[in-house]
Amino acid sequence: MHRPAQRLTRILACAAVPVILVASGCSSDDSSGAEDAQKDRSASSAAASAPAVEKAAYGTLPEACDTLSEKTLKDLVPEAKSLKGKTGKSDDTSSRATCSWNSLDNKGVDGSQFRWLHVSLMRFDSDEALGSGEQRAEKYYAKQLADAKATEDAKEVAAEPVAGTGDTATMVSYELKKKEGTFRQQSLVTRVENVVVTVDYNGAGLAGQSSPKTKTLVEGATKAGQEAVEAVTEANAEGAKDSGKKSGKDADGKDSGDNDGQGADPGKS
């Protein structure tokens, strides 16, 4: 009487084994999936909590040839054929812009006075991989200073901080002796927010003329640097008009592009 019941019990027990195994397998898969989901949530949470790179303060640049006032240009390059300057080539003028001027005051047999002025503007955007615009500008500022101090054949190299120009500024001065005369070079490098402004200004007395005093050139380069920084700030001010152009600019004619064949800094040639 009990054998059929015992046999039925064994059959049911054996039949239940695969069900348990399948259930066990499903339970294991669910646990693994839950762990993966938890990891994904943790990674997403960490990414969300990570500080985003700070947005760059300045988003544009003024035209480099419009950064200096007519008065300053007449003081620094008094015999320039055109105060419009020579615009440098750039594939993105909102990030990189340059302009140069030169002046030759020919006094005939008494010699001549040469001046060369160059303004460079570099703007850096914020980038998650490279850092904020300001951090990138700080690195470029340091590189510009290092390059100026390491100019080949430079003599009497000196570097001094300059107050009242951007967030930080340094003037690098040196001399280069060439067959034409002694060129006294001033390189003012300044950073304002995420923009680096570099002003190169040099002068030389040629064919018997005395070279200008370093103090005079330093004052001129400092004035140019202050105006260029102001132009950058104005170009990025809310509601700024005319890309930060100053009043009193030389407005006659177009850029002639004539630089007396002296388009490059003779002090760095």
Side-chain angles (χ1 to χ4, degrees), residues 8-74:
L8 179 60
T9 300
R10 287 197 297 270
I11 292 172
L12 291 174
C14 291
V17 172
V19 175
I20 295 172
L21 292 177
V22 170
S24 176
C26 291
S27 175
S28 176
D29 289 343
D30 288 343
S31 175
S32 177
E35 290 178 2
D36 290 343
Q38 180 60 36
K39 290 179 180 179
D40 289 342
R41 284 194 295 271
S42 298
S44 298
S45 177
S49 62
V53 63
E54 184 180 3
K55 182 180 178 180
Y58 292 156
T60 189
L61 293 175
E63 293 183 16
C65 290
D66 287 328
T67 55
L68 307 184
S69 67
E70 181 178 321
K71 182 181 184 304
T72 295
L73 289 171
K74 286 183 175 180

Side-chain angles (χ1 to χ4, degrees), residues 44-244:
S44 298
S45 177
S49 62
V53 63
E54 184 180 3
K55 182 180 178 180
Y58 292 156
T60 189
L61 293 175
E63 293 183 16
C65 290
D66 287 328
T67 55
L68 307 184
S69 67
E70 181 178 321
K71 182 181 184 304
T72 295
L73 289 171
K74 286 183 175 180
D75 288 343
L76 272 55
V77 284
E79 299 300 320
K81 287 188 176 181
S82 172
L83 296 182
K84 295 295 292 181
K86 181 178 177 62
T87 303
K89 294 181 179 180
S90 174
D91 56 1
D92 182 4
T93 55
S94 70
S95 296
R96 180 186 183 94
T98 63
C99 188
S100 60
W101 300 260
N102 65 72
S103 169
L104 183 64
D105 184 8
N106 192 340
K107 302 181 183 298
V109 295
D110 293 328
S112 58
Q113 285 288 330
F114 176 79
R115 300 289 186 275
W116 184 79
L117 175 65
H118 183 263
V119 173
S120 169
L121 312 173
M122 283 288 292
R123 185 185 65 82
F124 295 87
D125 285 318
S126 294
D127 186 289
E128 291 186 1
L130 301 175
S132 70
E134 184 172 338
Q135 291 172 331
R136 297 178 66 195
E138 287 175 346
K139 291 179 181 179
Y140 185 73
Y141 170 84
K143 180 180 183 300
Q144 286 288 85
L145 287 179
D147 288 348
K149 294 176 183 178
T151 300
E152 187 176 1
D153 297 328
K155 305 297 183 183
E156 300 182 21
V157 180
E160 295 290 340
V162 178
T165 306
D167 296 320
T168 183
T170 303
M171 182 76 72
V172 179
S173 305
Y174 56 85
E175 291 186 356
L176 282 174
K177 296 185 181 298
K178 295 182 173 291
K179 62 180 181 180
E180 297 89 354
T182 298
F183 290 84
R184 288 179 175 156
Q185 169 80 26
Q186 317 305 315
S187 292
L188 172 66
V189 185
T190 180
R191 180 187 63 79
V192 54
E193 299 289 355
N194 57 308
V195 175
V196 176
V197 176
T198 304
V199 174
D200 291 306
Y201 184 46
N202 70 39
L206 310 177
Q209 282 275 314
S210 298
S211 294
K213 294 181 179 179
T214 297
K215 180 181 178 182
T216 301
L217 296 175
V218 167
E219 291 174 350
T222 300
K223 176 62 175 174
Q226 290 171 340
E227 288 191 8
V229 167
E230 182 182 349
V232 171
T233 302
E234 290 179 354
N236 287 275
E238 184 177 357
K241 297 180 180 180
D242 298 329
S243 299

Side-chain angles (χ1 to χ4, degrees), residues 243-255:
S243 299
K245 291 182 181 179
K246 297 173 179 291
S247 59
K249 291 290 189 299
D250 178 21
D252 59 315
K254 297 181 179 180
D255 178 13

